[in-house]
């Protein structure tokens, strides 16, 4: 683990050094930065080898894969955005690599102290990444708000540690779960997360979901579920149910598509909690799904633009499906998978939860899942109607890059492939099928 | 050996793919290929039935579906419709041959989703709104039935039969019927009826016996009466064919759910009758034949009920 961390930090410094060197000698155009991206990708690849080889971390293999996919896609999104916006700040790649290293550490964290320190560091990096466009007032506001919430989270976790040390278990557990719910953006604490997802650049949003849901989710799965009493179980079930229902309801009323999609992304916190409570074995497939669905979704929001200052409202998407049918279908499929519509990988996760809920005689969870899926499909079906049913009123500007189309289609394709694996091989445990991937070094 | 479910997914999907590869302006090749695939599909069905790979009910449902779609495949040279017909038919056939009720529901939802997507492309915002509402309606009832299979409560029977009833246009379970067929092109109407109704009938045959047959009979009779009143009030000739089918389907639903397979046969004849009405819309003399056939079917259904 330490080798991976050191390698990533080394490559992050290398990226930073090369960028400052490029700035000094005047090579500040976007085309000059390709080699830095190549170095960042090489760092990501080289650092992964010792991690997958470690026998004691074999059970976390899929979480590492999910985290690596998330970072890889974040690097591609960063590259596309930096070129598109013609911005010359170069610390982005270095920050992404360090953030990746911290998330990997978060996945393996086994005690609260480690989690507090790592999450605090990761949050600081997310603040830095969100405000990389320092000229944009809205982004700065989001960064500031996320900074405040990070400090608050740090205090809460520290208090929890303090109470654990003084053997006040009940209060300590309450503080721990309260802070974890805040960390993963569970309802009703999703406000800042939604703002971040909406305003921050897509690569920062991808990393936010990676840190909070994959890093935080792994900690919940490895450590926090040990401190679960019956009362706390029911308490968390209420929060999970709210997370499945409230964000899609709020998404119904949104005019801005970016905000609508952000609300739909927050359903993931509810799915994570339900999986932690009922089916821990499938949580790694959830991470894998998340690492593909979130970047695919976020890349799609900014794909269709009428102008540089597009508001991303409903009218902006009218006729977009007719213009780019394959990308539109792929994007809608990824969105549907995110809310767990039938024939997607998200639905398979819901099915796993449903079967476990029946075994625990909690049949009402089935109704809850059904309502959550239908509510989530309301805005997506409306989006499909706007994209395919309405003619476009504007001449769409070609602001997207071919890599973006590829990214959206590839994400949807891999999710569909994973769903087919789960569908056609029901006699096997899907988790073990995914473990048979060529990651068995 | 290849299973029938895999075959019905592979054969029509390959046909759709090959047809889509034919250049857009080469309608002659597309027409020849369409006829060839149709004949090959009939032969395949016959072979599957002869080797007892599929049973009689499945064979009849699939054969009726193919027969109802012949008009689209032989007469029209619409590039998109030719391809999409095969796609939708493959999903519909997969739902009919699915090994479990849940799998059948998944394929059925996928089929109706694609169909509504095709309808969305045929019109403006009005069709868009109709398609949007219908997608959510089918999603709700299909999901509810999908999860209801996992549980064991008597009252869930009414949720289990809803997807089947909605697909055979049972008046009380299909609020979408009026809006979907309004100003819809005839080919798309035929496509909807020919692919969705057999799926609904197949889903109904999978349903368990009703806990209260009297209630079901009363609901079916009331629905048929309601549809008959709508039929008399309806002005549009095209819409009347659908409403006429609704009278027959509501009566046959009660029979099928009470495990009387004769209802299935009569409903399929009623379906072909309505599609014939739609296809020969400009021929007033044929309508007399249509109404006569429908009257006989309604009489038979009422007598058997």
């Amino acid at each position: 683990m330490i080798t991976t961390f050191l390698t990533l930090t080394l490559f992050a410094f290398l990226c930073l050094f090369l960028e400052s060197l490029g700035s000094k000698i005047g090579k500040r155009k976007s085309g000059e930065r390709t080699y830095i991206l190549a170095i960042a990708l090489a760092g990501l690849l080289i650092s992964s080898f010792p991690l997958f080889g470690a026998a004691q971390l074999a059970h976390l293999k899929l979480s590492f894969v999910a985290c690596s996919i998330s970072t890889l896609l974040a690097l591609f999104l960063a590259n596309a955005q930096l070129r598109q916006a013609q911005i010359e700040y170069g610390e982005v790649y270095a920050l992404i690599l360090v953030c990746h290293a911290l998330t990997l550490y978060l996945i393996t964290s086994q005690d609260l102290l480690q989690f507090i320190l790592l999450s605090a560091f990761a949050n600081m990096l997310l603040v830095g990444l969100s405000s990389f466009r320092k000229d944009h007032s809205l982004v700065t506001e989001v960064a500031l708000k996320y900074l405040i919430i990070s400090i608050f989270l740090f205090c809460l976790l520290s208090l929890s540690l303090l109470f654990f040390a003084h053997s006040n278990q009940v209060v300590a557990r309450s503080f721990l779960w309260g802070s974890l719910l805040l960390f993963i953006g569970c309802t009703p604490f999703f406000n800042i997360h939604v703002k971040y997802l909406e305003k921050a650049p897509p690569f920062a949003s991808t990393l936010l979901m990676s840190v909070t849901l994959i890093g935080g989710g792994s900690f919940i799965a490895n450590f926090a579920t040990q401190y679960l009493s019956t009362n706390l179980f029911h308490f968390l079930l209420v929060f999970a149910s709210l997370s499945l229902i409230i964000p899609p309801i709020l998404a119904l009323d949104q005019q801005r598509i970016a905000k609508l999609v952000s609300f739909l992304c927050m359903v993931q916190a509810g799915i994570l909690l339900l999986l932690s409570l009922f089916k821990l074995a499938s949580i790694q497939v959830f991470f894998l799904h998340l690492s593909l669905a979130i970047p695919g979704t976020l890349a799609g929001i900014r794909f269709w633009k009428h102008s540089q200052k597009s508001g991303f409202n409903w009218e902006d998407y009218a006729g977009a499906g007719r213009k780019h049918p394959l990308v539109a279908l792929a994007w809608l499929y990824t969105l549907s998978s995110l809310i767990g519509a039938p024939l997607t990988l998200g639905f398979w996760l819901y099915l796993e939860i449903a079967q476990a809920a029946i075994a625990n005689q909690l049949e009402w969870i089935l109704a809850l899942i059904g309502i959550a899926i239908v509510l989530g499909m309301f805005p997506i079906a409306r989006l499909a109607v706007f994209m395919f049913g309405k003619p476009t009123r504007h001449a769409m500007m070609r602001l997207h890059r071919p890599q973006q189309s590829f990214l959206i289609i590839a994400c949807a394709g891999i999710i569909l492939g994973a769903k087919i694996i789960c569908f056609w091989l029901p006699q096997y445990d899907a988790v073990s099928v995914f473990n048979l991937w060529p990651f068995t070094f | 050996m290849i299973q029938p479910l895999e075959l019905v997914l592979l054969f029509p999907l390959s046909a759709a793919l090959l047809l889509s590869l034919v250049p857009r302006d080469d309608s002659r090749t597309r027409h020849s290929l369409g006829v060839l695939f149709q004949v090959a599909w009939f032969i395949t069905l016959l072979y599957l039935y002869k080797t007892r790979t599929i049973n009689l009910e499945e064979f009849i449902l699939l054969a009726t579906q193919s027969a109802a779609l012949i008009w689209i495949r032989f007469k029209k040279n619409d590039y998109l419709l030719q391809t999409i017909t095969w796609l939708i038919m493959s999903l519909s056939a997969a739902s009919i041959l699915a090994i479990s009720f849940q799998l059948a529901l998944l394929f059925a939802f996928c089929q109706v989703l694609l169909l509504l997507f095709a309808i969305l492309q045929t019109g403006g915002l009005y069709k868009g709104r109709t398609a949007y509402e219908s997608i959510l309606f089918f999603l709700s009832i299909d999901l509810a039935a999908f999860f209801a299979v996992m549980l064991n409560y008597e009252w869930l029977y009414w949720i289990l039969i809803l997807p089947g009833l909605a697909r055979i246009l049972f008046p009380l379970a299909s609020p979408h019927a009026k809006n979907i067929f309004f100003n819809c092109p005839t080919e798309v109407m035929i496509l909807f009826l020919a692919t969705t109704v057999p799926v609904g009938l197949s889903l109904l045959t999978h349903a368990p016996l009703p806990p209260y047959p009297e209630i079901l009979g009363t609901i079916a009779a009331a629905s048929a009466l309601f549809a008959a009143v709508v039929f008399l009030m309806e002005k549009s000739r095209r819409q009347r064919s659908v409403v006429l089918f609704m009278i027959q389907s509501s009566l046959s639903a009660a029979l099928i759910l009470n495990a009387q397979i004769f209802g299935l046969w009569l409903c399929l004849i009623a379906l072909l009758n309505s599609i014939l009405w739609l296809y020969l819309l400009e021929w007033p003399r044929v309508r007399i034949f249509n109404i006569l056939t429908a009257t006989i079917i309604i009489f038979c259904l009422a007598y058997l009920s």
Side-chain angles (χ1 to χ4, degrees):
Chain A
M1 189 65 215
I2 196 76
T3 324
T4 306
F5 187 75
L6 284 176
T7 319
L8 276 169
T9 320
L10 189 72
F11 272 95
F13 272 110
L14 191 61
C15 287
L16 204 60
F17 173 71
L18 286 171
E19 184 60 36
S20 13
L21 199 69
S23 304
K24 278 203 165 176
I25 60 172
K27 287 185 174 178
R28 301 183 67 158
K29 283 179 189 166
S30 55
E32 311 286 340
R33 269 199 303 266
T34 312
Y35 67 96
I36 305 181
L37 175 70
I39 287 169
L41 289 176
L44 189 70
L45 198 69
I46 293 167
S47 64
S48 305
F49 279 106
L51 202 64
F52 291 117
Q56 70 272 24
L57 300 173
H59 64 291
L60 297 171
K61 211 184 303 167
L62 271 183
S63 305
F64 294 144
V65 172
C67 185
S68 302
I69 292 173
S70 214
T71 312
L72 185 73
L73 297 178
L75 279 171
F76 273 113
L77 284 171
N79 184 42
Q81 180 131 18
L82 288 173
R83 280 168 184 244
Q84 200 174 12
Q86 293 292 312
I87 293 167
E88 289 136 10
Y89 305 118
E91 67 269 30
V92 173
Y93 297 123
L95 288 180
I96 290 175
L97 283 187
V98 179
C99 196
H100 173 63
L102 288 173
T103 316
L104 288 179
Y105 245 128
L106 264 177
I107 291 170
T108 53
S109 61
Q110 286 295 326
D111 58 68
L112 193 52
L113 185 63
Q114 211 177 7
F115 181 75
I116 293 171
L117 292 173
L118 290 169
S119 61
F121 274 129
N123 277 337
M124 289 308 117
L125 289 177
L126 287 172
V127 170
L129 279 169
S130 70
S131 62
F132 91 106
R133 287 190 71 174
K134 297 171 182 75
D135 52 331
H136 210 295
S137 60
L138 281 172
V139 175
T140 315
E141 184 200 328
V142 169
L144 205 63
K145 282 183 176 170
Y146 197 74
L147 180 67
I148 293 166
I149 209 90
S150 308
I151 295 166
F152 182 61
L153 190 70
F154 181 75
C155 296
L156 267 180
L157 282 166
S158 306
L159 277 173
S160 160
L161 189 67
L162 194 72
F163 282 117
F164 268 121
H166 285 88
S167 305
N168 198 341
Q169 293 287 317
V170 179
V171 182
R173 271 183 227 162
S174 313
F175 270 104
L176 173 65
W177 275 105
S179 45
L180 283 175
L181 293 180
L182 183 65
F183 187 63
I184 62 170
C186 185
T187 304
F189 313 117
F190 55 67
N191 200 20
I192 303 297
H193 287 73
V194 168
K195 276 205 166 61
Y196 195 103
L197 286 170
E198 187 199 353
K199 306 285 184 200
F203 61 84
S205 306
T206 305
L207 285 172
L208 170 84
M209 296 305 265
S210 173
V211 170
T212 55
L213 291 177
I214 301 180
S218 299
F219 181 72
I220 289 174
N222 296 340
F223 180 73
T225 39
Q226 295 167 13
Y227 297 95
L228 208 60
S229 62
T230 318
N231 284 341
L232 198 55
F233 178 85
H234 288 113
F235 188 68
L236 289 174
L237 210 52
V238 171
F239 275 99
S241 312
L242 287 176
S243 296
L244 289 189
I245 301 291
I246 303 291
I249 291 176
L250 292 174
L252 289 175
D253 196 33
Q254 299 307 320
Q255 290 303 311
R256 292 196 302 273
I257 304 299
K259 195 163 188 183
L260 182 151
V261 172
S262 308
F263 272 116
L264 293 182
C265 288
M266 293 329 290
V267 176
Q268 303 308 305
I271 301 175
L272 171 70
L273 271 184
L274 282 182
L275 280 170
S276 317
L277 296 176
F278 291 114
K279 189 92 181 190
L280 265 177
S282 303
I283 206 160
Q284 302 212 24
V285 180
F286 167 75
F287 293 152
L288 207 61
H289 172 238
L290 196 78
S291 67
L292 289 161
I294 296 285
T297 306
L298 295 173
I301 298 173
R302 286 157 180 85
F303 189 83
W304 293 279
K305 265 190 170 184
H306 297 306
S307 65
Q308 285 283 8
K309 292 187 175 176
S310 177
F312 302 115
N313 56 22
W314 290 96
E315 284 302 323
D316 288 334
Y317 288 78
R322 293 182 180 187
K323 182 96 175 164
H324 306 105
L326 201 58
V327 180
L329 279 175
W331 187 52
L332 288 172
Y333 182 78
T334 315
L335 265 175
S336 308
S337 186
L338 212 56
I339 61 111
L343 308 162
T344 61
L345 192 59
F347 188 66
W348 183 84
L349 289 167
Y350 270 139
L351 264 184
E352 292 285 296
I353 295 168
Q355 280 157 3
I358 292 170
N360 285 309
Q361 287 160 355
L362 288 166
E363 281 99 350
W364 61 269
I365 297 276
L366 269 67
L368 178 84
I369 290 171
I371 293 167
I373 294 173
V374 174
L375 280 175
M377 273 306 282
F378 263 92
I380 295 172
R382 197 172 165 214
L383 208 52
V385 169
F386 263 79
M387 290 171 87
F388 286 95
K390 281 187 89 174
T392 180
R393 288 183 190 170
H394 317 273
M396 287 200 178
M397 281 179 71
R398 190 177 157 79
L399 288 173
H400 58 266
R401 308 185 68 80
Q403 293 95 316
Q404 277 173 282
S405 318
F406 174 74
L407 194 141
I408 297 167
I409 295 168
C411 286
I414 297 171
I415 292 172
L416 182 65
K419 167 69 192 171
I420 291 169
I421 289 174
C422 297
F423 178 75
W424 285 114
L425 299 170
Q427 65 271 43
Y428 302 114
D429 182 13
V431 181
S432 54
V433 169
F434 282 117
N435 271 324
L436 287 175
W437 278 18
F439 303 115
T440 46
F441 291 101
Chain B
M1 192 189 159
I2 194 161
Q3 296 297 310
L5 179 62
E6 288 155 11
L7 186 73
V8 296
L9 274 173
L10 283 176
F11 184 97
L13 282 177
S14 316
L17 185 69
L18 277 170
L19 281 171
S20 68
L21 290 175
V22 178
R24 196 175 276 262
D25 53 347
D26 192 359
S27 57
R28 199 171 168 178
T29 311
R30 195 163 46 249
H31 175 71
S32 312
L33 274 176
V35 174
L36 186 73
F37 286 138
Q38 184 65 34
V39 174
W41 179 238
F42 266 122
I43 293 168
T44 312
L45 286 182
L46 275 170
Y47 172 75
L48 286 174
Y49 175 61
K50 205 179 168 209
T51 54
R52 293 284 180 265
T53 319
I54 57 173
N55 60 33
L56 181 64
E57 285 166 33
E58 288 167 345
F59 173 72
I60 292 294
L61 284 169
L62 290 173
T64 313
Q65 185 189 56
S66 297
L69 288 171
I70 278 181
W71 293 301
I72 295 178
R73 294 203 182 117
F74 281 24
K75 293 287 179 187
K76 291 285 167 186
N77 287 318
D78 189 327
Y79 173 75
L80 194 65
L81 197 69
Q82 286 278 356
T83 313
I84 215 147
T85 306
W86 279 104
L87 269 176
I88 293 173
M89 200 203 78
S90 76
L91 291 167
S92 170
S95 175
I96 292 167
L97 294 180
I99 42 174
S100 73
F101 187 71
Q102 284 184 323
L103 201 57
L105 274 174
L106 278 178
F107 279 123
F109 176 68
C110 202
Q111 179 259 336
V112 98
L113 198 66
L114 204 59
L115 193 57
L116 290 169
F117 195 71
I119 289 174
L120 174 68
Q121 295 286 301
T122 62
L125 203 56
Y126 175 78
K127 278 285 163 222
R129 208 189 70 205
T130 309
Y132 164 70
E133 286 164 1
S134 304
I135 286 170
L136 294 171
F137 172 73
F138 277 107
L139 177 68
S140 310
I141 58 170
D142 289 355
L143 259 185
F146 185 90
F147 287 124
V149 180
M150 295 177 171
L151 303 173
N152 193 21
Y153 297 109
E154 199 179 69
W155 56 269
L156 285 176
Y157 171 79
W158 304 104
I159 291 177
L160 274 176
I161 60 170
L162 260 180
L165 291 180
R167 281 174 174 81
I168 63 160
L169 303 177
F170 191 86
L172 295 184
S174 49
H176 55 279
K178 182 129 183 99
N179 291 335
I180 277 185
F181 296 119
F182 180 75
N183 274 354
C184 202
T186 309
E187 297 83 30
V188 179
M189 277 177 92
I190 293 174
L191 186 61
F192 190 98
L193 287 170
T195 54
T196 313
V197 173
V199 172
L201 290 170
S202 166
L203 290 176
L204 287 183
T205 51
H206 283 102
L209 283 171
Y212 306 106
E214 303 82 20
I215 297 178
L216 187 71
T218 314
I219 293 172
S223 299
L225 203 64
F226 172 71
V229 173
V230 175
F231 178 76
L232 294 173
M233 286 162 65
E234 186 59 57
K235 294 282 186 292
S236 159
R237 280 180 296 170
R238 286 161 9 116
Q239 293 276 47
R240 284 184 108 180
S241 72
V242 177
V243 183
L244 185 66
F245 174 71
M246 285 165 91
I247 304 173
Q248 299 159 80
S249 71
S250 49
L251 286 172
S252 60
L255 279 179
I256 297 165
L257 288 169
N258 281 308
Q260 293 187 35
I261 212 66
F262 201 60
L264 178 78
W265 296 72
L266 285 176
C267 193
L268 286 174
I269 297 168
L271 173 71
L272 285 176
N273 187 35
S274 283
I275 288 174
L276 196 68
W277 175 320
L278 276 173
Y279 189 69
L280 305 171
L281 207 61
E282 303 302 322
W283 295 22
R285 284 181 189 172
V286 179
R287 215 163 308 129
I288 299 167
F289 165 76
N290 289 140
I291 292 175
L292 197 68
T293 315
T295 314
I296 296 166
I297 293 171
I298 292 167
F299 177 76
C300 289
L301 287 167
Y303 178 75
L304 287 167
S305 302

